[in-house]
Amino acid sequence: MISRREFLSFGLSLTAGFVLSNPKRSWGAPFPQFFFAQLKYRGGEWDPNPRFAEAIIEELELRTSIDALKERRITPLSDPDLYYSPFLYIAGKYEFEPFTSQEREILRRFLTYGGFLFAEDTMGAKGFGFDRAFRAEMKQILPDHELKRLPLDHSVYRSFYLIESVGGRQKVQSYLEGITIDQWTPVIYSQNDLSGAWARDRFGKWIHECMPGGEAQRSSAFKAGINIIVYSLTSDYKKDVIHHPFIKKRQNL
Amino acid sequence: MNVKEILIEPMIPLWLIYLLFSLGGAAVILQYWLTRKRLVRSKALTLALLRLCTLSLLISFLLNPFSLERKEYKVLPSLAILFDTSPSMGLPGRGGKSRLEEARAFLFEGSNPLFNSLSERFDVSLYGLGESMRSLKEEELTRLRVGKKKGDLGEAMRQLSGKASLGLLLSDGNLKWDETPPAGPSLLSLPSGDPKEYRDILIKEVKAPHLAFRGREVRIDVAIKTYGYRGMTLPVVLKEGSRIIAARDIRVTESPAEVTLTLSFTPEKVGQHNLDLSIPAQVGESISGNNRVDLSIKVVRDKIRVLMVSGSPSLNYRFMRMALKNDPSIDLLSFVILRTPSDILNVPIQEQSLIPFPVDTLFSKELNHFDLLIFDNLPCHFYISTNYYGRMREFIREGGGLAMIGGPHLLDGGRYLGTPLGETLPIKLTGKEGYRRDASFGVRLSRAGRTHPVTQLSPDENENENLWQDMPALDGMNLLEPKVFKNVLLEGGEGGSRPLLFADSYGKGRILILGTDFSWKWYMGMISRGKSHWAYLRFIERMVRWLTKDASLEPLQITFPETSGEAGQELEFRIRVKEARSDPHFQGKVQLSVFDSEGVKIESHLKAGQPTGEYLGFFTPRREGIYRIKVELPNGFQEEFLTIGRPIEEREGAPDHKRLKEISTATGGNLFFRGEDLLKEIDAFGDRGKKSFVEEKRSPLWSLPYALFGLLSLLGAEWYLRRRWGLI
């Protein structure tokens, strides 16, 4: 399966009689300000929605001022360039092999000192598969901090859209979970399969149906995705006092 | 009275004299026995008697007889008359005269001037009592004028000790006087001035902090003393220049009265605030100069207020926000442009968290409440009208800081060219935006960057240079040219020579441009290496503090004594050069200048102390006012202001007869008013001081001619009779 960008590049190359090589970006190359860096781990299924990035990035560029790279970067935990990821993403359906102590240390350091990780259980089965493995890893990596439901006044629910419920391909839970260290939540976790709702095929059609809420649930997944991305780049900006009266007014509080 | 006595003072022991006398008597008896054989009894007895007399006379000389004459002399007691010439003696006294004239008239006027009576009874000396005591002649009294300093009675008493047996003090009571009186004559006092008629309003005491925080209430406690003006309401006004910043009324209910009140205001501007506290002069006031007091308050920020506007959410914003938020001394207000004008909103406003960017409020009304403005990769023209650029330029010119953080929109597509904001920037504007995001590059310190406070992350120059070279590589860079190369602190890019960090001053403010949107990599890059991220945090901290002229980055610190200075007293203060220990350039290059309230440079000197970098500064203010102290170093200077006031004693002019009585009593004297029989009282005190002395005159008798004549007569008579009677 090739992306639309790849398809267009190929077509243009043929027209020009010159085959444009699709330069595979390495970690040594410069970093755009925003891109998805997806963790590749051992065991389980690390890439349940390979075509999730394009639609959400398009949406991001259409709605926000964020300048982003449409393609995602795949990274193992052992790569030191992981630290330059603005948005580290991990997803899966099934239980995966435990991280090594070195990998755990890399992730612990990354999360403790300002990195951001968005994790998704695309199967949505509590206590099974990816969910069980991920929670166990988080306990190992950040033993002093708990993965908890993020309250509705958390900045992630108001970083761009004012949302009260989180959509997705499935509706396992209406909220996000996260690990908060001081004022910053470096880990946000969802079991709604947001990326499944974002994923499109190369013809632009949604790959998955959103159940049970349909397109409204998909729209909600996009809003949640944008909010999570904006949160990863602005932290608790929306907690600043200047925002309070506006947000309260809009929430009829 | 003369008294004469004959006394002896033996030249040898008396027993020896008795022995000689006995031997002489025996010799005379032997002579009588021998001459009796040749002469009749009467003649032999005559010769023996003559010989006895001669011997007795000779032996009596050994007793060393002398006459003693005593003469007693009476001495007039000495009286020192002290005319107080303190400034308050020039104020109105009784009878339309000044207090000094009143004192003079008291001694010399009238049908029988008191001075004449005193001269008959005393040995009178006249003195003028100013800052020092000086002897006066009688004719000088008419020309006697008040001085500028208070009379120092304590010192005068020490000088009069042993010289005068009694003192007469003519004063209104406004004197320098220690509570423990020195040895000296008793003082009789004649008061000048009339406390009941005295009218004055005096700012007696002001308690104000030297240092205040912007945005926090400053309280100034004022004590006001009034003489007269009962029933009046008086305004107390605190002004800065011509602007009234606080005012309150006081009601005078009695006389004399002392009223205390508190004036408060909230300073909004950091810096030195020279204020004056005053009460309008009232009709008939004796001294109007004591209705005003100068104050100098240095206002510092309790927090550095930073306004940050980011062009879009980014890691650069998040890490800089984190660094700023982690600093408790920084109060950050940030705005992130979450959507551009071309972005499409797909939800009603109730579902967005976006707030309007309050451009007008921020840049026309509130800008002065901030210390630092940060534009982070901001395409300014979309959101801020160029009409506000002039206001921003004024903000910087007046002492504000501006930081521009790089990215593709650093120069707003070159739109700053020819604008007031562009004028302030330390880079050449071409009307284009040059930005590259390709190969990673490291940075290195420029020559200026090695010593600049912003890039000085370590006090050690080599360590600092290595620190910067070791910083993680950056991925994006603005292509900028400096106006002046000395303003470039960091270089990077191709060949490592492209300017990256610029710092300059504009007016009283400072500007910094960081030509990259990847400085956050200095944070996470260090984490990825397993190192600490402190260098990034320190860089941001020093950047903010330098831009806002925070005292912690100033090269020196001036510390004044807690008590405020007074005119005429040498003032000592401490200067600490912070970098002196590590930088040999500072040695011997510290210069001190002190300027009085009129801007005239006055004498001052500097003394190096221990440890290195510590100095003591000295100067003696000659008059009250606000003094400017400027300390210069090779890399900058610092100024502080200090208020010098007159001591309260010199501002107080009310006759203080109660104090005069206390002074007199403490010396064993008393206070006399006009109606009393002053001379009688003075006589009573004078009697105790009366003295006499006795003069003694001694005359040896053996050296008198009569003694020699008597001796020769005795020897001659014996020789004559012996010859006549045929013994020779």
Side-chain angles (χ1 to χ4, degrees):
Chain A
M1 202 178 289
I2 62 167
S3 70
R4 192 163 57 178
R5 173 181 281 244
E6 287 165 342
F7 174 77
L8 287 171
S9 298
F10 183 71
L12 285 169
S13 306
L14 285 176
T15 308
F18 175 72
V19 178
L20 280 175
S21 63
N22 185 8
K24 191 181 177 185
R25 290 181 186 270
S26 74
W27 280 104
F31 293 87
Q33 281 287 16
F34 181 82
F35 58 93
F36 283 104
Q38 187 168 355
L39 268 182
K40 186 177 180 180
Y41 50 81
R42 294 176 301 280
E45 186 184 337
W46 68 271
D47 194 15
N49 294 307
R51 297 193 55 84
F52 79 88
E54 194 177 290
I56 185 70
I57 293 294
E58 272 179 20
E59 188 72 6
L60 192 70
E61 291 203 319
L62 187 65
R63 311 292 176 208
T64 77
S65 58
I66 298 169
D67 184 21
L69 188 70
K70 278 187 181 165
E71 54 191 82
R72 58 183 174 149
R73 293 182 175 181
I74 313 299
T75 176
L77 263 174
S78 54
D79 192 329
D81 280 345
L82 172 94
Y83 285 89
Y84 299 130
S85 310
F87 194 100
L88 190 61
Y89 174 70
I90 184 170
K93 280 185 179 175
Y94 311 115
E95 195 159 349
F96 53 87
E97 285 179 28
F99 296 154
T100 65
S101 57
Q102 192 189 358
E103 287 169 335
R104 283 184 188 134
E105 177 55 26
I106 289 169
L107 204 50
R108 187 196 64 77
R109 199 169 166 75
F110 173 75
L111 296 174
T112 308
Y113 290 102
F116 179 81
L117 172 70
F118 175 54
E120 271 204 304
D121 169 22
T122 56
M123 188 162 72
K126 283 186 182 288
F128 293 96
F130 181 87
D131 182 63
R132 192 168 78 173
F134 178 72
R135 287 179 192 275
E137 279 304 330
M138 284 299 110
K139 265 191 183 167
Q140 294 273 329
I141 292 165
L142 298 168
D144 298 332
H145 301 89
E146 223 179 309
L147 194 60
K148 287 192 291 196
R149 174 180 181 159
L150 297 177
L152 265 183
D153 63 347
H154 191 279
S155 293
V156 76
Y157 298 116
R158 52 180 66 173
S159 59
F160 193 84
Y161 295 106
L162 295 173
I163 56 175
E164 292 176 353
S165 173
V166 179
R169 184 184 60 78
Q170 58 206 6
K171 189 97 177 182
V172 177
Q173 53 198 21
S174 61
Y175 54 85
L176 295 167
E177 288 180 89
I179 295 175
T180 302
I181 301 173
D182 298 327
Q183 305 297 316
W184 168 236
T185 303
V187 180
I188 291 182
Y189 179 55
S190 167
Q191 290 188 278
N192 284 5
D193 190 14
L194 294 176
S195 59
W198 303 337
R200 280 191 317 208
D201 64 19
R202 57 183 158 170
F203 303 108
K205 287 190 175 175
W206 305 118
I207 294 173
H208 304 289
E209 287 289 309
C210 292
M211 298 296 285
E215 289 312 300
Q217 194 172 303
R218 190 187 308 280
S219 171
S220 176
F222 272 95
K223 286 178 189 171
I226 285 176
N227 269 25
I228 294 167
I229 293 169
V230 173
Y231 177 75
S232 76
L233 296 176
T234 58
S235 177
D236 57 349
Y237 162 63
K238 284 291 171 184
K239 288 269 182 185
D240 286 356
V241 178
I242 193 151
H243 298 278
H244 289 185
F246 293 94
I247 290 172
K248 278 187 176 177
K249 192 176 173 187
R250 287 171 196 177
Q251 290 176 328
N252 294 320
L253 293 176
Chain B
M1 191 172 79
N2 295 343
V3 180
K4 256 192 172 174
E5 290 174 278
I6 304 293
L7 300 168
I8 59 165
E9 199 169 47
M11 298 168 83
I12 56 173
L14 272 174
W15 65 268
L16 195 57
I17 294 169
Y18 291 143
L19 181 65
L20 287 172
F21 200 78
S22 303
L23 289 172
V28 169
I29 292 166
L30 183 63
Q31 183 196 355
Y32 173 76
W33 183 71
L34 291 171
T35 52
R36 180 72 182 84
K37 290 175 183 175
R38 294 169 66 183
L39 296 173
V40 294
R41 187 183 171 191
S42 59
K43 288 182 178 175
L45 193 62
T46 302
L47 287 174
L49 284 173
L50 283 171
R51 179 62 56 89
L52 183 64
C53 289
T54 304
L55 281 172
S56 299
L57 190 60
L58 284 170
I59 291 166
S60 70
F61 285 166
L62 291 173
L63 289 171
N64 189 20
F66 63 89
S67 71
L68 179 70
E69 189 179 8
R70 284 199 179 89
K71 201 173 181 180
E72 188 177 351
Y73 294 91
K74 292 280 182 194
V75 181
L76 281 177
S78 58
L79 174 69
I81 300 179
L82 302 169
F83 281 90
D84 182 8
T85 59
S86 301
S88 61
M89 288 294 282
L91 295 172
R94 292 184 183 93
K97 299 185 178 89
S98 74
R99 294 174 194 171
L100 186 61
E101 287 166 349
E102 183 191 342
R104 201 157 37 210
F106 193 69
L107 273 191
F108 291 96
E109 288 181 2
S111 55
N112 184 21
L114 179 63
F115 184 75
N116 294 349
S117 305
L118 291 172
S119 298
E120 288 166 10
R121 294 164 172 80
F122 295 93
D123 179 13
V124 176
S125 307
L126 297 169
Y127 297 97
L129 179 60
E131 191 179 15
S132 59
M133 190 177 73
R134 68 185 180 101
S135 183
L136 297 171
K137 291 177 184 165
E138 195 181 328
E139 58 270 21
E140 285 181 293
L141 282 177
T142 50
R143 299 194 300 271
L144 188 63
R145 298 282 179 270
V146 294
K148 290 183 178 175
K149 296 278 179 182
K150 262 192 166 185
D152 189 346
L153 184 58
E155 182 55 34
M157 289 290 278
R158 274 184 280 277
Q159 288 182 32
L160 289 174
S161 178
K163 285 185 186 171
S165 48
L166 193 63
L168 179 61
L169 174 64
L170 296 109
S171 170
D172 60 357
N174 288 307
L175 290 155
K176 276 192 200 168
W177 173 252
D178 299 329
E179 293 308 314
T180 49
S186 298
L187 280 177
L188 309 177
S189 300
L190 291 168
S192 298
D194 186 354
K196 288 177 186 167
E197 291 297 315
Y198 183 71
R199 288 162 74 82
D200 187 31
I201 298 158
L202 156 75
I203 298 177
K204 189 183 171 189
E205 192 179 6
V206 178
K207 286 183 184 167
H210 288 299
L211 194 71
F213 292 102
R214 180 190 55 190
R216 288 200 197 169
E217 190 182 60
V218 176
R219 292 169 68 87
I220 298 175
D221 296 323
V222 188
I224 294 160
K225 199 163 183 184
T226 56
Y227 300 91
Y229 305 108
R230 188 183 300 175
M232 282 188 72
T233 300
L234 303 169
V236 184
V237 183
L238 182 67
K239 289 199 288 187
E240 182 171 20
S242 58
R243 191 170 64 95
I244 295 174
I245 54 175
R248 274 188 68 182
D249 288 343
I250 56 164
R251 178 92 179 153
V252 183
T253 54
E254 55 184 333
S255 177
E258 191 164 325
V259 183
T260 57
L261 75 153
T262 301
L263 291 168
S264 60
F265 71 101
T266 305
E268 292 297 338
K269 212 170 176 183
V270 169
Q272 201 71 35
H273 291 249
N274 294 333
L275 314 174
D276 72 77
L277 180 74
S278 62
I279 302 166
Q282 302 298 310
V283 177
E285 245 194 289
S286 295
I287 309 171
S288 57
N290 58 12
N291 293 28
R292 182 176 182 275
V293 170
D294 288 326
L295 298 169
S296 180
I297 299 176
K298 186 177 183 179
V299 177
V300 295
R301 48 188 152 246
D302 54 342
K303 287 201 167 192
I304 300 170
R305 293 184 193 167
V306 179
L307 172 62
M308 183 176 181
V309 186
S310 277
S312 68
S314 67
L315 284 185
N316 214 35
Y317 167 76
R318 179 156 73 80
F319 281 92
M320 197 171 280
R321 176 188 168 87
M322 181 176 63
L324 298 173
K325 282 275 183 185
N326 278 347
D327 188 334
S329 67
I330 293 174
D331 192 1
L332 173 70
L333 176 64
S334 68
F335 290 90
V336 184
I337 305 298
L338 294 180
R339 59 174 284 262
T340 64
S342 59
D343 291 329
I344 302 160
L345 270 174
N346 55 341
V347 293
I349 196 163
Q350 289 80 4
E351 293 178 27
Q352 305 162 26
S353 71
L354 279 67
I355 65 167
F357 182 37
V359 180
D360 188 56
T361 306
L362 287 174
F363 293 99
S364 67
K365 295 171 188 163
E366 299 293 326
L367 193 57
N368 279 344
H369 293 158
F370 294 96
D371 304 301
L372 173 61
L373 177 62
I374 301 176
F375 282 170
D376 167 31
N377 191 27
L378 180 69
C380 216
H381 73 283
F382 280 135
Y383 315 104
I384 303 170
S385 162
T386 50
N387 295 335
Y388 296 111
Y389 289 179
R391 184 70 200 85
M392 288 182 211
R393 181 177 61 184
E394 282 311 300
F395 164 75
I396 301 162
R397 190 179 275 159
E398 290 302 311
L402 171 68
M404 297 189 75
I405 310 300
H409 306 293
L410 170 72
L411 298 179
D412 194 16
R415 290 180 181 83
Y416 291 135
L417 180 66
T419 66
L421 189 59
E423 178 193 316
T424 66
L425 304 178
I427 51 170
K428 289 177 185 168
L429 296 175
T430 59
K432 290 179 183 173
E433 184 92 58
Y435 177 77
R436 285 178 65 173
R437 189 180 288 176
D438 43 33
S440 298
F441 62 91
V443 295
R444 69 175 186 202
L445 284 171
S446 69
R447 194 173 169 186
R450 285 180 201 135
T451 53
H452 199 279
V454 171
T455 42
Q456 213 165 29
L457 305 184
S458 164
D460 183 90
E461 204 171 303
N462 290 330
E463 191 183 317
N464 195 45
E465 205 157 345
N466 293 336
L467 258 170
W468 280 105
Q469 280 184 354
D470 199 34
M471 284 286 208
L474 306 176
D475 296 321
M477 183 179 201
N478 291 88
L479 309 177
L480 305 169
E481 285 292 325
K483 279 180 184 166
V484 186
F485 274 98
K486 70 178 176 64
N487 294 332
V488 177
L489 308 184
L490 280 179
E491 294 167 325
E494 284 171 25
S497 59
R498 278 206 165 273
L500 184 77
L501 180 64
F502 307 76
D504 198 9
S505 298
Y506 184 83
K508 293 178 190 170
R510 289 173 174 176
I511 299 169
L512 178 140
I513 297 178
L514 175 61
T516 180
D517 48 344
F518 280 86
S519 61
W520 61 271
K521 285 187 77 182
W522 290 337
Y523 181 104
M524 282 310 271
M526 286 297 187
I527 298 296
S528 78
R529 294 177 192 174
K531 293 182 179 176
S532 168
H533 53 289
W534 69 268
Y536 173 80
L537 297 177
R538 186 169 293 177
F539 167 68
I540 298 294
E541 183 211 341
R542 292 182 77 85
M543 178 186 90
V544 171
R545 291 186 190 286
W546 180 79
L547 282 165
T548 56
K549 296 185 179 175
D550 193 74
S552 64
L553 280 196
E554 293 298 339
L556 57 93
Q557 188 179 6
I558 303 171
T559 312
F560 293 111
E562 280 189 12
T563 51
S564 56
E566 290 180 355
Q569 288 182 353
E570 187 179 63
L571 199 91
E572 179 186 310
F573 54 94
R574 286 178 59 208
I575 299 162
R576 190 165 71 86
V577 181
K578 292 177 184 169
E579 311 292 344
R581 283 181 215 175
S582 57
D583 192 340
H585 302 301
F586 290 110
Q587 302 300 325
K589 289 189 179 172
V590 181
Q591 286 188 329
L592 170 68
S593 310
V594 179
F595 302 87
D596 67 13
S597 51
E598 289 174 3
V600 178
K601 190 174 177 178
I602 64 164
E603 192 182 332
S604 63
H605 59 279
L606 200 64
K607 193 174 138 189
Q610 287 295 329
T612 309
E614 293 273 353
Y615 294 85
L616 286 176
F618 303 89
F619 74 97
T620 306
R622 294 290 166 210
R623 54 187 169 177
E624 68 271 22
I626 296 172
Y627 284 68
R628 181 162 60 97
I629 290 101
K630 183 177 184 181
V631 181
E632 291 172 273
L633 293 175
N635 65 340
F637 68 90
Q638 191 169 337
E639 286 185 336
E640 293 284 347
F641 291 80
L642 188 67
T643 307
I644 301 294
R646 274 192 296 166
I648 177 65
E649 299 84 36
E650 291 185 18
R651 290 183 282 128
E652 171 72 90
D656 195 347
H657 295 175
K658 191 180 165 194
R659 186 153 179 266
L660 204 56
K661 184 173 176 63
E662 286 168 3
I663 292 171
S664 303
T665 310
T667 61
N670 209 342
L671 177 75
F672 298 95
F673 292 92
R674 281 164 204 278
E676 298 178 27
D677 187 358
L678 180 70
L679 205 55
K680 190 178 167 187
E681 291 289 338
I682 287 180
D683 274 344
F685 274 100
D687 282 345
R688 279 189 250 145
K690 278 183 180 172
K691 286 179 182 172
S692 64
F693 67 90
V694 176
E695 187 183 48
E696 287 185 351
K697 192 174 177 184
R698 294 169 65 134
S699 306
L701 296 179
W702 57 267
S703 61
L704 293 174
Y706 304 113
L708 182 63
F709 179 73
L711 184 66
L712 290 174
S713 299
L714 287 168
L715 291 169
E718 188 183 344
W719 179 80
Y720 172 77
L721 290 173
R722 278 178 181 269
R723 188 172 180 87
R724 173 134 188 195
W725 291 335
L727 292 178
I728 306 170

